[in-house]
Structures are given as structure tokens and as C-alpha cells.
């Protein structure tokens, strides 16, 4: 995870962010997404992917306030929501179910900045 002294805004142009929002730490979809990322750790690192979780009112992986992130990325307090944020700060992919490593890899590898990263 990204150093806890960083905001999502300061990651702009350096990191892609996978933003995961859940109402509580017992959410089974959160645990599923964590398992996916744990198995895909080297692929995520290679693609400059930072993981930021909003669990209730707690933010893990950044120092932004949970309420601010929910407003900015239109995240409901209830249920599982996931957003893949490009290096330019815009949202690329959004869902209410965990995103597979294959989908993350395919989506990120097709991004213009990723193509230039590999040159």
C-alpha cells in the first residue's frame, strides 16, 4: 500500500489508484478483492497501482478523509464500490463487484500512459 502520508491528489501522474469502498471490514467482497490483489502484487507494482481502501470512516493507503473521497468519487456509504483511477486522476473503471487481476491488467495495459511507460 501507498505510504500513509500521501493523498490521492499527490499520487496524480505517478500512480494509478484502485479505490475500494465498503461499509465495514467484514465485507466479503472486500476480502475477495484483497485476495485478488495479494495474488497479483507484482503485476500491480509493475503497473504503478496503489490500493486505497475506505472501510467505514477509515482510509487505508492514503490520508484523505473518507467523506471527501466518497464525495469526489461518488461512493455510497453502503455496499461495495470499486473505482480504478488513471494517473491523470480520472476514473476509468467502476463496479460493485471485485475486479479480477485479468481485467485490471487488460484495462491498465490499454491505457495511453501505460503504453508510454513500456516504451
Amino acid at each position: 500500500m501507498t505510504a500513509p502520508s500521501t493523498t490521492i491528489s499527490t499520487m496524480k501522474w505517478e500512480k494509478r489508484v484502485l479505490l475500494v469502498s465498503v461499509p465495514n471490514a467484514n465485507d466479503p467482497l472486500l476480502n475477495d478483492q484483497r485476495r485478488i490483489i495479494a495474488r497479483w502484487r507484482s503485476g500491480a507494482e509493475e503497473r504503478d497501482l496503489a490500493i486505497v481502501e475506505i472501510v467505514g470512516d477509515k482510509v487505508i493507503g492514503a490520508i484523505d478523509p473518507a467523506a471527501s473521497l466518497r464525495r469526489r468519487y461518488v461512493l455510497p456509504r453502503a455496499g461495495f464500490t470499486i473505482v480504478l483511477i488513471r494517473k491523470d486522476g480520472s476514473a476509468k473503471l467502476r463496479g460493485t463487484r471485485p475486479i479480477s487481476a485479468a481485467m485490471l491488467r487488460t484495462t491498465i495495459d490499454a491505457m495511453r500512459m501505460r503504453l508510454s511507460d513500456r516504451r
Side-chain angles (χ1 to χ4, degrees), residues 16-77:
R16 293 170 185 92
V17 177
L18 189 64
L19 183 58
V20 182
S21 176
V22 293
N24 62 65
N26 299 323
D27 190 298
L29 297 176
L30 171 63
N31 293 324
D32 290 348
Q33 190 67 62
R34 285 176 171 169
R35 278 191 290 278
I36 290 166
I37 295 301
R39 287 192 298 263
W40 191 59
R41 179 66 55 199
S42 64
E45 289 172 3
E46 178 186 327
R47 288 163 180 84
D48 299 328
L49 185 65
I51 312 302
V52 176
E53 297 176 351
I54 305 169
V55 181
D57 291 325
K58 182 178 179 185
V59 176
I60 304 162
I63 60 170
D64 302 88
S68 172
L69 291 175
R70 282 199 183 93
R71 272 192 309 277
R72 185 183 323 157
Y73 295 102
V74 191
L75 304 169
R77 284 190 62 82

